Each structure stands twice: as structure tokens, then as C-alpha cells.
């Protein structure tokens, strides 16, 4: 399903078999020129529809973080929810959704953050993430999960929101990373 020109590597750190890693790679479809010309969209709908691949992703994340004293898992709207919620269940910790503005029914807290087109590029706009005011307890040790890490702008905003409530970001996890956009560099100060 992935194109020959696009190479994927699964970083499972011993959590899943080589066969399941191959299933995951084959379940990520690359859609050229979407949503704009010259972009390569990584479509994970096939991964979510494949119980072996989807389960393998969850198993890999759980194996990686089971011994890290995680006390809450945060998922970023909306595809991050698909991966963060099952990981939270497996780790037996709360799942906390981060949403776009105006989507939460109770009193919320949020952060505004700048969007960019990648390392060295100018900022082109701003966005906002929110969570319920009582979503995380101060002192929580948080794993943040999203489906994709591109420029790191959204993940950075999530980190800012988590630390705003005096919680600690243990690590940021994603299913696909677009390395050329250097998002990991943007959030490295939050990796503990």
C-alpha cells in the first residue's frame, strides 16, 4: 500500500514481531499531491482497518511505555485519540483528549501556538489546543500521542498545555514521523 519511493521503518523496540512490523508498513497508504500539490499524505485509514497492524501499533506503544511511570495519556484531536485511548486503557491510566477550540463541554484551559511549514520556515498562522481544566492533575507524568509528527507545531502546543498545568511530559509519541520537517527537533526539550 505504501509507494516504493516512500520508505517506512517501524521503531517497535522489541514490542512486536517482524511480521507485524511489515503489516504496519503495508497498511500506511501514501497519497501523492494531497491535500496540496507536492505533498505526500500518509493515510492511516488502512492501518486502523487492519486489526493486526492497529493492534501491533498499540502493543508496541504499550511495550515501550509500560515501565516509564506514565500516569496519564494525552491524545491530540482527532486521529491521536485512536491510538492514545487504547494505550491509556492498557497502561491503566486516564486518557485526556486535547481538542480544538470550542469542542469541550466543561470549563477548559488552552494554549495558542504558532504553525510553521517546517524547520527554518516562517510561521504562517496560529492554532489552539484545549483540555478540560481538571483533565490532568499537577505532577502527572504524561505520554502525548498523535498520529503524525510533521513540523512539530501541534505537538509543541500539546507540550505547552501539559506543562501549563504543572504536569511533566515524559515523551511524545507518533505513529508516522515526516523527518524532513524536523518536528522532533521542535519538541526535544520536552522529552524526559
Amino acid at each position: 500500500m505504501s509507494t516504493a519511493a516512500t520508505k517506512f521503518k517501524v521503531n517497535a523496540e522489541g514490542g512486536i514481531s517482524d511480521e507485524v512490523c511489515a503489516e504496519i508498513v503495508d497498511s500506511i497508504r501514501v497519497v501523492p499531491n494531497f491535500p496540496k500539490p507536492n505533498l505526500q499524505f500518509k493515510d492511516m485509514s488502512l492501518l486502523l482497518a487492519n486489526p493486526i497492524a492497529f493492534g501491533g501499533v498499540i502493543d508496541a506503544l504499550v511495550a515501550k511505555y509500560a515501565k516509564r511511570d506514565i500516569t496519564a495519556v494525552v491524545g491530540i484531536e482527532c486521529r491521536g485519540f485512536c491510538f492514545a485511548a487504547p494505550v491509556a486503557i492498557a497502561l491503566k491510566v486516564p486518557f485526556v483528549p486535547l481538542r480544538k477550540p470550542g469542542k469541550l463541554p466543561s470549563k477548559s484551559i488552552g494554549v495558542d501556538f504558532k504553525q510553521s511549514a517546517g524547520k527554518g520556515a516562517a510561521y504562517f498562522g496560529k492554532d489552539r489546543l484545549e483540555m478540560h481544566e481538571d483533565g490532568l492533575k499537577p505532577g502527572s507524568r504524561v505520554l502525548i500521542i498523535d498520529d503524525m509528527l510533521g513540523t512539530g507545531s501541534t505537538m509543541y502546543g500539546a507540550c505547552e498545555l501539559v506543562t501549563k498545568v504543572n504536569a511533566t511530559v515524559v515523551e511524545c509519541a507518533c505513529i508516522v514521523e515526516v523527518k524532513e520537517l524536523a518536528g522532533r527537533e521542535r519538541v526535544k526539550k520536552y522529552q524526559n
Side-chain angles (χ1 to χ4, degrees):
M1 308 293 170
S2 58
T3 64
T6 303
K7 294 184 180 182
F8 291 106
K9 179 181 148 197
V10 177
N11 181 7
E13 298 187 16
I16 56 175
S17 70
D18 290 342
E19 293 80 18
V20 173
C21 288
E23 192 88 19
I24 292 167
V25 169
D26 289 343
S27 295
I28 299 172
R29 174 175 32 209
V30 177
V31 182
N33 299 310
F34 183 83
K36 295 178 181 178
N38 299 318
L39 293 180
Q40 301 273 331
F41 184 75
K42 281 51 168 198
D43 178 14
M44 285 184 256
S45 60
L46 295 176
L47 186 145
L48 295 170
N50 179 335
I52 293 170
F54 187 23
V57 168
I58 301 307
D59 290 347
L61 289 167
V62 170
K64 182 173 182 175
Y65 297 107
K67 295 180 180 164
R68 297 285 305 271
D69 287 326
I70 303 294
T71 60
V73 176
V74 164
I76 300 173
E77 184 172 327
C78 77
R79 290 179 302 239
F81 296 176
C82 299
F83 301 100
V87 170
I89 290 168
L91 295 177
K92 297 180 177 23
V93 300
F95 164 68
V96 180
L98 300 189
R99 306 286 318 260
K100 298 290 183 178
K103 303 272 184 141
L104 295 168
S106 295
K107 192 170 182 184
S108 63
I109 184 171
V111 294
D112 296 312
F113 59 94
K114 296 176 183 176
Q115 291 283 9
S116 81
K119 186 176 183 179
Y123 292 105
F124 63 82
K126 68 177 191 168
D127 211 339
R128 182 174 176 82
L129 286 173
E130 298 178 346
M131 71 177 175
H132 280 129
E133 194 174 62
D134 58 358
L136 288 171
K137 295 177 183 169
S140 294
R141 292 180 43 81
V142 178
L143 169 62
I144 301 174
I145 299 177
D146 203 1
D147 65 325
M148 187 170 304
L149 181 66
T151 65
S153 297
T154 303
M155 190 69 82
Y156 185 86
C159 292
E160 291 283 296
L161 183 51
V162 166
T163 58
K164 185 175 183 175
V165 297
N166 296 313
T168 299
V169 176
V170 174
E171 196 159 290
C172 301
C174 63
I175 312 313
V176 173
E177 177 183 4
V178 182
K179 289 192 175 192
E180 300 80 29
L181 297 177
R184 186 183 299 237
E185 185 70 23
R186 181 112 192 255
V187 297
K188 76 177 183 181
K189 81 175 193 175
Y190 287 107
Q191 307 288 48
N192 290 306

